[in-house]
Amino acid sequence: MEELSLTTVAGTRDILPEEMPCWHLIEDRARRIFSQYGFLEIRTPLLESTELFARGIGGDTDIVGKEMYTFLDQSGKSITLRPEATASVVRAYVQHAMYRTGGMTKLYYLGPMFRHEKKQKGRWRQFYQVGAEVIGSGHPAVEAEVIEMVMRFVASLGINAGLKVNSVGDRNCRPAYLDLLRHEISRYLPQLCPDCRRRAETNPLRVFDCKTESCQIHIGKLPLIADHLCGDCADHFRRVQGYLQDAGISYEVVPRLVRGLDYYVRTAFEIVSGELGSQNALAGGGRYDGLSEVLGGPATEAFGFAIGLDRMVMLLSQEASSAWLTKPDVVVVHLGEAAFSRAWEVTRELRRQGWTCFMEFSGGSLKSQMRMANRIQASHVLIIGENELSKGQYPIKRLSDSQQWEVSLDELISYLKSTNAPALPGSKSVERSLLD
Ligand code: AMP
């Protein structure tokens, strides 16, 4: 019989428990910092109609043209696993008429995205992003504020990163620039790689993204959007930079910075880290004033970004995340059959009172249970043997300094309270009402 070998699909992976503290740390930090800036969380489905992305991202982009996981469902409707979340968030904004409240709508999201990309280090087919969108304001200070928030988020995790900004113009000035760009590219067309030749037709701005060595010399001669911005776009970009300076944020203007999605106008930005290697982009974002209209909503100005969590995890130091590990307050060690029931009762009581508590059901020797307590970095070990049962007094050992003394259950709880607050509030009443 053929041997069964079921493993993860190429480009996807299991995130194992050892890595989870990093993820929890990053996700918690994002939630705290983003809510400090007034963002509320939104969760949109992983499945969306294919048309949402075809319209919202643009048919000529790599994402829509080559990378989407698309299938027909049982009713014959074309469904896509979301490759990014901005289109979904704006769809939700329109669908739930969030614009009715007026002013800015500030939303953030967190979750997996799916793109069938070439596999390489730091590039996955299922990857995770956290992102935020401000819908309903065209003010350049919004951009500086959002960029400040991402930079704080990144810095708060000890990650060094640089900010690159550019303006990609708008519906007034970009069409004429694109005509000029197409014309200029056509002069070098035979020397360019097949991807560039295709982009020259479909999405000429993307030619600037080309990494092919032989194309670079020609790309270097192409006209830059910065020299063709209309007065309003140039003024907007100047103001964004002024606000960034006011906020004390260093940045580099990179005139060849373009974004992969069609809907960007005016400000585009990227956050990069040299420690990531060839896939050095940590976050990307920009202004997308036309998207709501494209998706059937009112004309609405908007600005947002997405940051790659997989890459943040790669950059996070081990120490930063190990502090986040949930370490048990107490491991209850039990020796003998009669001690088992008491140990389990004590474990449940400690958890009801809010403490993180663990016991090894299959028991084993004192030595092996102590070894387990050390491995999972418990703070204390409570030892329940047959002799202790009648006394109601149990030896407790503090693992940080190996000090040992005897306590009753009530004394243990008072002692734990004196050392730190329980991770959860005591939940006796909740548990009762669940059991009733
Ligand atoms: P984008 O949505 O393409 O602007 O990407 C924003 C950020 O998401 C990037 O800067 C990366 O950090 C991350 N990202 C995008 N695509 C991938 C991928 N295939 N694998 C891992 N991270 C990704």
Side-chain angles (χ1 to χ4, degrees), residues 77-245:
K77 185 170 167 51
S78 183
I79 301 289
T80 291
L81 279 172
R82 65 177 184 195
E84 58 101 52
T86 301
S88 303
V89 171
V90 177
R91 182 213 25 81
Y93 173 82
V94 173
Q95 184 172 339
H96 303 286
M98 293 184 203
Y99 44 83
R100 281 216 205 105
T101 51
M104 287 190 280
T105 302
K106 296 169 113 179
L107 301 168
Y108 77 88
Y109 59 84
L110 196 156
M113 310 293 156
F114 306 85
R115 295 182 198 169
H116 196 279
E117 295 192 84
K118 211 163 89 201
K119 280 186 296 165
Q120 48 187 302
K121 188 166 179 275
R123 200 168 264 292
W124 299 91
R125 290 179 178 168
Q126 174 173 336
F127 58 97
Y128 295 78
Q129 286 184 335
V130 41
E133 320 288 351
V134 180
I135 312 175
S137 172
H139 201 292
V142 164
E143 298 165 32
E145 186 184 68
V146 169
I147 290 174
E148 180 201 62
M149 180 175 86
V150 202
M151 296 304 278
R152 265 194 59 207
F153 170 50
V154 170
S156 79
L157 293 163
I159 295 172
N160 287 322
L163 171 64
K164 297 177 173 186
V165 294
N166 192 23
S167 174
V168 294
D170 67 3
R171 279 183 281 190
N172 283 329
C173 50
R174 200 161 51 194
Y177 167 73
L178 290 181
D179 285 345
L180 173 70
L181 189 59
R182 260 193 212 98
H183 177 260
E184 289 299 309
I185 295 173
S186 70
R187 296 170 41 182
Y188 311 109
L189 215 51
Q191 291 96 303
L192 294 175
C193 70
D195 266 350
C196 278
R197 289 209 289 269
R198 183 175 50 81
R199 286 169 180 158
E201 266 313 302
T202 57
N203 195 350
L205 262 188
R206 292 300 308 279
V207 166
F208 290 113
D209 271 348
C210 179
K211 302 278 182 299
T212 310
E213 195 61 41
S214 56
C215 293
Q216 299 310 312
I217 180 151
H218 308 298
I219 292 172
K221 292 185 229 151
L222 295 174
L224 294 172
I225 180 88
D227 301 322
H228 298 270
L229 293 178
C230 59
D232 286 349
C233 282
D235 180 54
H236 185 91
F237 194 37
R238 252 192 312 275
R239 292 176 68 199
V240 171
Q241 292 182 62
Y243 289 123
L244 285 174
Q245 286 157 18

Side-chain angles (χ1 to χ4, degrees), residues 11 13 63 67 83-86 109 113-118 120-130 259-261 263-264 269-271 276 279-285 305-312:
R13 72 197 192 287
I63 293 184
E67 296 170 356
E84 58 101 52
T86 301
Y109 59 84
M113 310 293 156
F114 306 85
R115 295 182 198 169
H116 196 279
E117 295 192 84
K118 211 163 89 201
Q120 48 187 302
K121 188 166 179 275
R123 200 168 264 292
W124 299 91
R125 290 179 178 168
Q126 174 173 336
F127 58 97
Y128 295 78
Q129 286 184 335
V130 41
R259 305 272 311 134
L261 317 182
Y263 52 64
Y264 283 109
F269 78 94
E270 232 171 51
I271 295 176
L276 278 170
Q279 298 300 310
N280 68 354
L282 197 55
F305 73 92
I307 185 159
L309 295 189
D310 308 71
R311 295 185 190 173
M312 288 192 93

Side-chain angles (χ1 to χ4, degrees), residues 351-354 422-428:
R351 285 192 190 132
R352 269 200 293 272
Q353 303 254 357
L424 290 168
S427 52
K428 241 179 182 152

Side-chain angles (χ1 to χ4, degrees), residues 151-426:
M151 296 304 278
R152 265 194 59 207
F153 170 50
V154 170
S156 79
L157 293 163
I159 295 172
N160 287 322
L163 171 64
K164 297 177 173 186
V165 294
N166 192 23
S167 174
V168 294
D170 67 3
R171 279 183 281 190
N172 283 329
C173 50
R174 200 161 51 194
Y177 167 73
L178 290 181
D179 285 345
L180 173 70
L181 189 59
R182 260 193 212 98
H183 177 260
E184 289 299 309
I185 295 173
S186 70
R187 296 170 41 182
Y188 311 109
L189 215 51
Q191 291 96 303
L192 294 175
C193 70
D195 266 350
C196 278
R197 289 209 289 269
R198 183 175 50 81
R199 286 169 180 158
E201 266 313 302
T202 57
N203 195 350
L205 262 188
R206 292 300 308 279
V207 166
F208 290 113
D209 271 348
C210 179
K211 302 278 182 299
T212 310
E213 195 61 41
S214 56
C215 293
Q216 299 310 312
I217 180 151
H218 308 298
I219 292 172
K221 292 185 229 151
L222 295 174
L224 294 172
I225 180 88
D227 301 322
H228 298 270
L229 293 178
C230 59
D232 286 349
C233 282
D235 180 54
H236 185 91
F237 194 37
R238 252 192 312 275
R239 292 176 68 199
V240 171
Q241 292 182 62
Y243 289 123
L244 285 174
Q245 286 157 18
D246 289 350
I249 297 168
S250 346
Y251 61 90
E252 184 192 351
V253 176
V254 177
R256 290 192 173 78
L257 175 71
V258 293
R259 305 272 311 134
L261 317 182
D262 271 359
Y263 52 64
Y264 283 109
V265 294
R266 295 196 169 168
T267 314
F269 78 94
E270 232 171 51
I271 295 176
V272 293
S273 163
E275 289 159 49
L276 278 170
S278 65
Q279 298 300 310
N280 68 354
L282 197 55
R287 176 161 284 291
Y288 53 91
D289 292 347
L291 186 58
S292 163
E293 253 176 310
V294 167
L295 300 182
T300 315
E301 295 161 309
F303 184 79
F305 73 92
I307 185 159
L309 295 189
D310 308 71
R311 295 185 190 173
M312 288 192 93
V313 167
M314 285 165 70
L315 292 173
L316 207 63
S317 73
Q318 213 50 46
E319 312 98 81
S321 59
S322 67
W324 198 251
L325 204 67
T326 310
K327 295 168 189 155
D329 299 298
V330 183
V331 162
V332 182
V333 164
H334 55 100
L335 303 166
E337 196 51 41
F340 175 93
S341 307
R342 182 67 186 138
W344 197 15
E345 255 172 54
V346 169
T347 300
R348 292 203 311 269
E349 181 57 24
L350 287 175
R351 285 192 190 132
R352 269 200 293 272
Q353 303 254 357
W355 305 98
T356 304
C357 189
F358 187 73
M359 69 180 271
E360 172 62 85
F361 286 128
S362 49
S365 66
L366 174 63
K367 203 168 155 196
S368 71
Q369 293 187 57
M370 290 297 286
R371 212 181 299 126
M372 176 273 290
N374 275 307
R375 182 171 50 78
I376 63 175
Q377 299 180 42
S379 307
H380 304 89
V381 171
L382 187 77
I383 302 165
I384 305 187
E386 312 272 323
N387 293 341
E388 282 81 26
L389 286 177
S390 51
K391 283 199 293 180
Q393 290 276 322
Y394 315 101
I396 175 141
K397 184 169 181 180
R398 187 163 57 205
L399 295 183
S400 59
D401 59 2
S402 296
Q403 211 187 325
Q404 188 165 319
W405 68 101
E406 290 212 338
V407 285
S408 66
L409 183 55
D410 285 345
E411 285 164 351
L412 172 62
I413 289 167
S414 315
Y415 161 73
L416 288 173
K417 279 187 186 152
S418 74
T419 59
N420 63 337
L424 290 168

